[in-house]
């Protein structure tokens, strides 16, 4: 969309960062289907996927503990007409060995120092 080219949303045209679909919303989808409407004549497009099952063993235990705390908020993208970041939530929840993730690196934040450190560690 004109004026939102750099937006980390479906309105932008910049590569999307790793994210969980609708992380801000209380009723997130269990599955997401990807459908491309534009041709990729140069074969340069790609989709990057990440697995929490592979990432979890690489994170220090104290980082995992921080990411399980309800100290994070995620702002909705412009296509949802803005709005508040909503309720605090954990980035990791559920089964300790196979957790669900809830983050959008460009719009999940925290005011807690330990939370910020946990997000930074998990992002790299």
């Amino acid at each position: 969309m004109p004026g939102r080219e750099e937006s980390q949303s479906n309105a932008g045209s910049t590569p999307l960062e790793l994210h969980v679909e609708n992380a801000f919303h209380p009723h997130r989808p269990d599955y997401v289907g990807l459908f491309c409407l534009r041709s990729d004549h140069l074969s340069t497009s790609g989709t990057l996927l990440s697995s929490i099952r592979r990432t979890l063993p690489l994170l220090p235990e104290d980082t995992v503990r921080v990411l399980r705390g309800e100290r994070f908020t995620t702002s909705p993208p412009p296509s949802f007409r803005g709005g508040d970041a909503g309720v605090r939530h954990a980035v990791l929840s559920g089964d300790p060995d196979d957790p669900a993730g809830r983050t959008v690196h460009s719009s999940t934040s925290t005011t807690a120092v330990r939370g910020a450190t946990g997000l930074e560690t998990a992002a790299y």
Side-chain angles (χ1 to χ4, degrees), residues 2-4 8 10 12 36 65 67-68 75-76 87 89 93 100 107 122:
R4 294 214 171 132
Q8 283 289 314
N10 59 1
C36 183
R65 200 169 20 260
L67 294 175
R68 286 190 164 281
S75 299
V87 299
H89 62 83
S93 62
S107 62

Side-chain angles (χ1 to χ4, degrees), residues 30-105:
D30 291 324
Y31 302 96
V32 175
L34 302 175
F35 180 72
C36 183
L37 296 176
R38 289 186 265 178
S39 297
D40 181 23
H41 300 293
L42 300 176
S43 298
T44 58
S45 294
T47 300
L48 179 63
L49 301 175
S50 178
S51 168
I52 191 62
R53 292 179 186 130
R54 291 185 179 182
T55 304
L56 196 60
L58 304 175
L59 296 175
E61 285 184 36
D62 60 325
T63 298
V64 173
R65 200 169 20 260
V66 167
L67 294 175
R68 286 190 164 281
E70 292 189 355
R71 56 175 56 97
F72 304 92
T73 57
T74 302
S75 299
S79 59
F80 280 82
R81 299 182 188 203
D84 294 333
V87 299
R88 289 184 185 189
H89 62 83
V91 168
L92 298 177
S93 62
D95 186 328
D97 296 322
D98 190 20
R102 185 176 178 181
T103 185
V104 177
H105 292 293

Side-chain angles (χ1 to χ4, degrees), residues 17-18 55 58-59 105 116-124:
E17 296 177 2
L18 288 175
T55 304
L58 304 175
L59 296 175
H105 292 293
T117 302
L119 280 176
E120 289 172 15
T121 302
Y124 300 101

Side-chain angles (χ1 to χ4, degrees), residues 2-35:
R4 294 214 171 132
E5 292 84 1
E6 300 299 317
S7 173
Q8 283 289 314
S9 71
N10 59 1
S13 54
T14 188
L16 294 175
E17 296 177 2
L18 288 175
H19 66 282
V20 172
E21 202 65 28
N22 294 346
F24 68 94
H25 202 280
H27 304 290
R28 293 169 309 286
D30 291 324
Y31 302 96
V32 175
L34 302 175
F35 180 72

